[in-house]
């Protein structure tokens, strides 16, 4: 007994087990190093650091003798970090930024985009056949004017006529004082070529030649210039200067803003917007109440129906139990989003199967009347959800200890009494955590709402695109513009998601605490 | 950022699952790291319908330049959000297909670069270049123009109707189940209803002299109210119904249950065995019923490291009649290049859509347009179904949109 304990699990010697471990760890390391290199070449420093840390921990954990528990939980821990902790932390971070339309990227990219968007082709200027040339090291352009004259220049030297150039089919093939670049060489330096501006003359107002395809050049002037020293943008036509503001945009003294901005931290602004916009105040309360009602009723109704069927099919006197059980599982086998979509068709007012066939052509507005739509959502969710509850209740019922039930019978308890005092509490011990998870799931049951009603019918009295069957998560989806009905605002969406996370986490924590009292019975 | 989360997830998954997974997935981001030179790679995002046509054009491009073109197939709905999310991380494509009404969002987020069409601009249908123009800069290479029109089953209705009432009368005379089909649904369909709204003189935004839009709402006023009241009347008369969805309308027309349907070239596949004629949409309010024109085109990423190749590919290889006709064969929409459109117009159906499109107005590409869609359709649907008072609901809608735009 004592020798394994002192040896721990760190196998030594060249036993088969150790060899297997060595091979597996070598595989992990190989892939890890590959991933590190990939992250390196993609400049993803965060991923790189995380990979290195994980690799070091993995190697240490599987070769040391002192980390037996870690050997078992490390893979799970790694998944938890990546899929849960990182996602929540990143959402939390985005909630404090203004990431969204108009603030989509970094400041460098915003500046670049603004400069590019504000270059104008000089009106009436010709498009000239262009050849990329080099003057020793510096790149330059040679353009052929409409009258056949060839002019060349570089970024430093404005265009000047070059005599004795050889022109073939509009393209310059030889130029004294310059080397003509082959297409492949141009491609190698395409970033430089597209960035190159060759001034037309000494006067910057005349504009400069640029090209986008290395075949044709145009004269452009810039209406915006950026000064890195003072970090300001200047409009050259009006002379107005724009300075970066706290919202991640360039703003002039009179408050006008340049369209492209960048991502910055905005503190609690998103949370203030989430609760401060009075257009949302009324609908928010209604939606919050409905979300709770929807989640609670869905859990209760599916659980009760599932439990009832489980008890009924658990009775040995019932014939063909297997057939029934199989049939009951069927709704569970259809993907939820598909079922919701099917139901939205079945419930169509004029052409749906329910009205047309089952109700003999009645025109019942299942999905467009506020009350009926809510009932429809609950009904469809009941249809979708009860097989799951049926499954877990069947399992729990079959594992109930028979001796306790017998003891109750001997003590003279009736059926109802036995069920209420013995069966149900024991059942709840097994199913309570699943009920809590079911609540959390339904609280965020976006698929059902989105596919069945799309949140409709709309509130008549509200000025926002929200409806009677919207729950919090589908509200987040439309409020933050992810459905395309408003400007996208990932910051606001994240802030609202964090709020939902807190609500669900609190309720789950409280509920789990309550279930402990159930366990005392068992 | 999304990509880097995915990468992180994929990498960690490979790490943890290394023991059981033989072949690890290729992590993303390799193409940008590859050395330039002969092996320059141009990445193009396309959706299913244009894949083959773009691949054909790419083959010619590869031959003449030696550069490689990687055509990546994506869902059309995913392209816009993925492009917006991935371009800033440097992981996006060099070129993507897209619709012109994305333009406002793409430029506000700084993810597209302008394209200088130069003298080729004159070779395109003016409306197509105009649609991709913002602030005097062109941001896309157009390849197809699409718009709706009145599709007529010539067996049931031999003549094109001049007005809406004529159409309804002709439809009733035909004795079919529906006098006229127009998709509505409970969410409304403002895109399909727009020509009718235009016939009451109520455009969605003010239009500048050059055809671009200014972000000032114009759908209120007398014209808007008149249109709303007309919707209510038609809803009551049963000629418009929120129960008619796209699928129901198309199926009914294909089954010969109506002589007319308002729709676009994307429906034609289902009507293959009908004898069709394409007519202008009949006016309901007296003024011309101009539909929206949507222009499909190619955008160049603002962060492309192959900008030169990308522009060369678009301006010199996709703006050719062959490439545009190949795209036309694949998608049935009239080409944007006039020469190609002339060839395609040998087909009377395409010519019909093109003729209607010539008088149409471009769909606004302003970022403010998103807010309009959210309220527009449901309000129309509520008026048609008789749930709301037309004038009041329309007025509230205009106020709500104004509140959203700010």
């Amino acid at each position: 007994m004592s020798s394994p304990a002192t040896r721990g699990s760190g196998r030594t010697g060249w036993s088969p087990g150790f060899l297997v471990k060595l091979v597996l760890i070598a595989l992990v390391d190989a892939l890890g190093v590959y991933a590190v290199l990939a992250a390196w070449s993609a400049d993803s420093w965060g991923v790189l650091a995380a990979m290195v840390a994980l690799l070091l921990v993995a190697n240490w954990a599987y070769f040391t003798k002192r980390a037996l528990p870690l050997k078992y939980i490390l893979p799970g821990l790694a998944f938890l970090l990546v899929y849960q902790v990182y996602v929540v932390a990143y959402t939390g971070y985005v909630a404090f930024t203004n990431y969204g339309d108009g603030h989509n990227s970094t400041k460098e990219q915003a500046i670049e985009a603004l400069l590019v968007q504000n270059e104008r082709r000089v009106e009436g200027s010709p498009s000239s056949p262009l050849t990329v040339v080099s003057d020793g090291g510096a790149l330059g352009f040679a353009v052929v004017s409409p009258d056949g004259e060839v002019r060349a220049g570089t970024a430093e030297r404005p265009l000047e006529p070059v005599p004795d150039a050889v022109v073939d089919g509009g393209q310059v093939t030889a130029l004294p004082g310059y080397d003509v670049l082959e297409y492949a060489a141009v491609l190698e330096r395409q970033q430089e070529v597209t960035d190159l501006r060759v001034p037309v003359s000494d006067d910057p107002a005349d504009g400069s030649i640029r090209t986008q395809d290395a075949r044709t050049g145009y004269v452009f002037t810039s209406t915006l210039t950026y000064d890195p020293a003072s970090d300001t943008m200047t409009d050259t036509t009006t002379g107005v200067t724009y300075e970066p503001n706290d919202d991640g945009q360039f703003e002039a003294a009179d408050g006008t803003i340049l369209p492209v901005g960048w991502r910055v931290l905005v503190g609690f602004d998103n949370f203030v917007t989430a609760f401060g916009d009075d257009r949302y105040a009324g609908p928010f309360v209604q939606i919050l109440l409905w979300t709770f009602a929807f989640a609670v009723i869905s859990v209760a109704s599916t659980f009760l129906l599932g439990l009832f069927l489980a008890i009924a099919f658990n009775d040995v006197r019932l014939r063909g139990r297997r057939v029934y059980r199989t049939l009951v599982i069927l709704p569970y086998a259809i993907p939820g989003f598909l079922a919701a979509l099917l139901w939205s068709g079945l419930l169509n007012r004029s052409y749906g199967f329910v009205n047309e066939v089952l109700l003999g052509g009645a025109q019942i507005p299942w999905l467009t009347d506020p009350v009926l739509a809510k009932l429809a959502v609950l009904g469809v969710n009941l249809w979708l959800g009860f097989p799951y509850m049926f499954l877990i209740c069947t399992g729990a019922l079959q594992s109930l200890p028979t001796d306790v039930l017998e003891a109750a019978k001997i003590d003279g308890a009736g059926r109802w009494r036995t069920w209420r005092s013995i069966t149900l509490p024991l059942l709840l011990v097994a199913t309570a955590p699943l009920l809590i998870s079911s609540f959390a799931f339904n609280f965020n049951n976006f698929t059902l709402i989105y596919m069945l009603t799309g949140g409709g019918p709309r509130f008549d009295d509200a000025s926002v695109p929200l409806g009677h069957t919207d729950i919090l998560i589908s509200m987040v989806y439309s409020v933050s513009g992810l459905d395309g009905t408003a400007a996208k605002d990932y910051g606001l969406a994240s802030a609202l998601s964090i709020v939902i996370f807190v609500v669900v986490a609190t309720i789950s924590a409280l509920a789990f605490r309550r279930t402990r009292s159930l366990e005392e019975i068992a | 950022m999304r990509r880097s989360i995915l990468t992180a997830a994929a990498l960690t998954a490979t790490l943890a699952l290394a023991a059981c997974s033989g072949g690890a997935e290729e992590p993303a981001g390799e193409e940008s790291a590859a050395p330039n030179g002969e092996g320059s790679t141009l990445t193009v995002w396309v959706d299913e319908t244009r894949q083959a046509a773009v691949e054909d054009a790419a083959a010619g491009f590869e031959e003449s330049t030696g550069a490689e073109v990687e055509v990546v197939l994506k869902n059309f709905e995913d392209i816009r959000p993925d492009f917006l999310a991935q371009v800033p991380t440097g992981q996006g494509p060099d070129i993507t297909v897209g619709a012109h009404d994305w333009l406002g969002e793409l430029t506000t987020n700084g993810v597209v670069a302008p394209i200088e069409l130069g003298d080729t601009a004159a070779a395109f249908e003016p409306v197509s270049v105009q649609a991709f123009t913002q602030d005097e800069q062109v941001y896309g290479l157009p390849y197809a123009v699409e718009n709706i029109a009145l599709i007529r089953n010539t067996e049931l209705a031999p003549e094109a109707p001049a007005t809406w009432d004529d159409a309804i009368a002709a439809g009733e005379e035909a004795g079919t189940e529906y006098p006229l089909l127009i998709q509505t649904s409970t969410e409304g369909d403002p895109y399909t209803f727009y020509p009718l709204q235009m016939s009451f003189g109520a455009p969605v935004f003010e239009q500048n002299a050059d055809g671009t839009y200014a972000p000032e709402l114009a759908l209120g006023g007398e014209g808007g109210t008149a249109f709303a009241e007309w919707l209510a009347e038609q809803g009551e008369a049963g000629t418009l119904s929120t129960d008619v969805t796209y699928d129901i309308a198309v199926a009914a027309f294909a089954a010969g249950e109506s002589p007319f349907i308002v729709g676009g070239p994307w429906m034609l596949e289902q009507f293959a065995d009908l004898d069709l004629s394409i007519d202008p949409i009949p006016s309901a309010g007296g003024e011309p019923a101009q539909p929206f024109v949507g222009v499909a085109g190619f955008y160049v990423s603002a962060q492309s490291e192959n900008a030169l190749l990308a522009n060369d590919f678009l301006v010199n290889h996709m703006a050719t009649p062959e490439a545009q006709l190949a795209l036309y064969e694949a998608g049935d929409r009239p080409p944007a290049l006039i020469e190609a459109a002339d060839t395609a117009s040998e087909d009377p159906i395409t010519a019909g859509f093109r003729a209607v499109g010539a008088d149409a107005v471009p769909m606004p590409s302003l970022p403010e347009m998103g807010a309009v869609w959210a309220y527009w359709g449901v309000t129309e649907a509520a008026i048609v179904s008789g749930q709301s008072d037309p004038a009041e609901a329309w007025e509230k809608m205009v106020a709500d949109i104004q509140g959203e735009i700010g």
Side-chain angles (χ1 to χ4, degrees), chain A residues 90 102 117 183 350 458 488, chain B residues 1 105 109 137 243 312 374:
Chain A
Y90 186 67
Q117 287 179 10
Y183 192 69
S350 301
R458 290 275 180 92
K488 268 194 262 319
Chain B
M1 213 53 221
E105 194 179 355
N109 289 318
Q137 295 240 56
D243 295 329
D312 193 9

Side-chain angles (χ1 to χ4, degrees), chain A residues 203-214:
Chain A
D203 180 9
D206 283 347
S208 52
I209 296 273
R210 58 174 290 202
T211 185
Q212 285 184 327
D213 59 1

Side-chain angles (χ1 to χ4, degrees), chain A residues 414-436:
Chain A
R415 274 183 177 220
W416 170 244
R417 182 76 198 167
T418 316
W419 190 82
R420 223 181 64 85
S421 302
I422 309 281
T423 316
L424 191 62
L426 286 175
L427 207 62
L428 280 179
V429 173
T431 55
L434 297 170
L435 294 184
I436 295 167

